[in-house]
Amino acid sequence: MAQPPSRPALRSDPAYLAFWEERHVGLLTTLRPDGSPHLVPVGVTYDSGAGVARVITSRSSKKARNVLAAGPSGARVAVSQADGARWATLEGTAVVRDEPEAVADAEARYTRRYRPPRVNPNRVVIEITVTRTMGSVRA
């Protein structure tokens, strides 16, 4: 029987994880239905223990619509942040979640990293299951 492909290890070194706790604007890349990239600034949080990144947004945003257009199996995305020569990227598969508990959890995480988000009754969460980490971050 063939072995399943191994999942690459996600970076877990302290400097890399600390960089994802600092306040930086991220850049999220989604793909439009025609395959062209859509890149926008976002607030992003990363739960390294679960291997999940989260972006809160409005259901009507282009980034949410791009993820939804990919279908129920999700969309391939990347989210990055940079600060001078330091940079980090998380790649993975994104889905849109709208369950109240998922939205509340993402808002709480956003509040800890940035500030309380504005009220938005149409808020959803782009939830990214991270499959690859990259970057140049040193202690």
Side-chain angles (χ1 to χ4, degrees):
M1 181 188 304
Q3 294 283 29
S6 62
R7 181 177 169 202
L10 302 181
R11 281 190 64 173
S12 61
D13 54 283
Y16 190 82
L17 298 181
F19 188 53
W20 282 105
E21 296 292 323
E22 296 173 13
R23 189 178 194 281
H24 297 290
V25 172
L27 292 167
L28 174 68
T29 302
T30 60
L31 297 178
R32 297 179 182 99
D34 69 2
S36 63
H38 178 256
L39 179 70
V40 293
V42 295
V44 58
T45 62
Y46 180 42
D47 177 351
S48 62
V52 174
R54 294 172 180 86
V55 173
I56 58 175
T57 189
S58 183
R59 176 181 301 283
S60 62
S61 70
K62 182 62 176 164
K63 56 190 164 287
R65 292 192 329 262
N66 286 342
V67 171
L68 288 167
S73 61
R76 295 289 299 155
V77 302
V79 64
S80 298
Q81 63 181 20
D83 180 35
R86 298 184 308 153
W87 65 274
T89 297
L90 308 171
E91 291 182 1
T93 303
V95 295
V96 173
R97 302 211 31 213
D98 60 3
E99 304 89 352
E101 60 277 2
V103 173
D105 177 60
E107 288 173 334
R109 292 170 187 277
Y110 181 95
T111 296
R112 285 192 295 274
R113 185 165 190 205
Y114 298 102
R115 64 172 188 260
R118 65 178 174 75
V119 174
N120 180 354
N122 297 311
R123 180 165 289 133
V124 295
V125 181
I126 296 175
E127 189 175 272
I128 305 162
T129 300
V130 178
T131 56
R132 179 180 296 161
T133 55
M134 298 174 285
S136 179
V137 180
R138 293 181 181 85

